[in-house]
Amino acid sequence: QVQLVESGGGLVQAGSSLRLSCTVSGGTFSSYAVAWFRQAPGKEREFVAAFNWKNGNTYYADSVKGRFTMSRNNARDTVYLQMNSLQSEDTAVYYCAVGRPVLSALRDDNMYYHWGQGVQVTVSS
């Protein structure tokens, strides 16, 4: 059974950086779309970034474009989310997820069927 484990969250000041990691066990990322989502208190879960295994492209939410970078290490079955210039609005629980959505549904969390437990990121202003 595929399991995802996130790590790397924490409490930082605005303007700082963090790198989140997501490691898969019981499977491999190689044939999945891998995505990061986040959920802030009182808000719905929202798309952050995703890697599409079919075309090799990475997609970002407008709110994080230019500040966040998603990368992967296939040999370690690990994906990363490098978060720079963090803002208080980035405070949320961050989740990684895998699935096989079509390209048009890459940002839809309903299309992902394996999820990590989430990791808290808190940005103080």
Side-chain angles (χ1 to χ4, degrees):
Q1 182 176 353
V2 173
Q3 291 187 324
L4 305 174
V5 177
E6 301 102 334
S7 62
L11 170 63
V12 296
Q13 291 186 333
S16 299
S17 298
L18 276 177
R19 189 178 78 159
L20 305 183
S21 301
C22 174
T23 300
V24 64
S25 61
T28 178
F29 284 132
S30 62
S31 60
Y32 288 100
V34 187
W36 288 95
F37 289 84
R38 66 186 182 185
Q39 187 166 22
K43 295 187 177 181
E44 293 187 353
R45 188 161 55 193
E46 65 172 358
F47 170 80
V48 176
F51 172 76
N52 183 290
W53 86 101
K54 286 189 175 180
N55 61 17
N57 292 334
T58 306
Y59 301 84
Y60 298 93
D62 288 344
S63 59
V64 307
K65 200 173 296 183
R67 300 187 298 121
F68 290 12
T69 302
M70 184 175 178
S71 62
R72 71 196 189 282
N73 184 324
N74 292 334
R76 297 186 176 183
D77 277 324
T78 299
V79 295
Y80 305 96
L81 185 68
Q82 177 67 42
M83 306 185 295
N84 298 328
S85 302
L86 282 162
Q87 306 165 358
S88 57
E89 304 85 79
D90 297 316
T91 295
V93 177
Y94 284 71
Y95 300 89
C96 69
V98 296
R100 292 193 174 102
V102 296
L103 184 58
S104 60
L106 204 63
R107 292 170 168 79
D108 185 351
D109 60 353
N110 291 309
M111 297 293 107
Y112 293 83
Y113 38 81
H114 294 296
W115 291 81
Q117 81 286 356
V119 61
Q120 178 69 48
V121 172
T122 303
V123 184
S124 63
S125 57

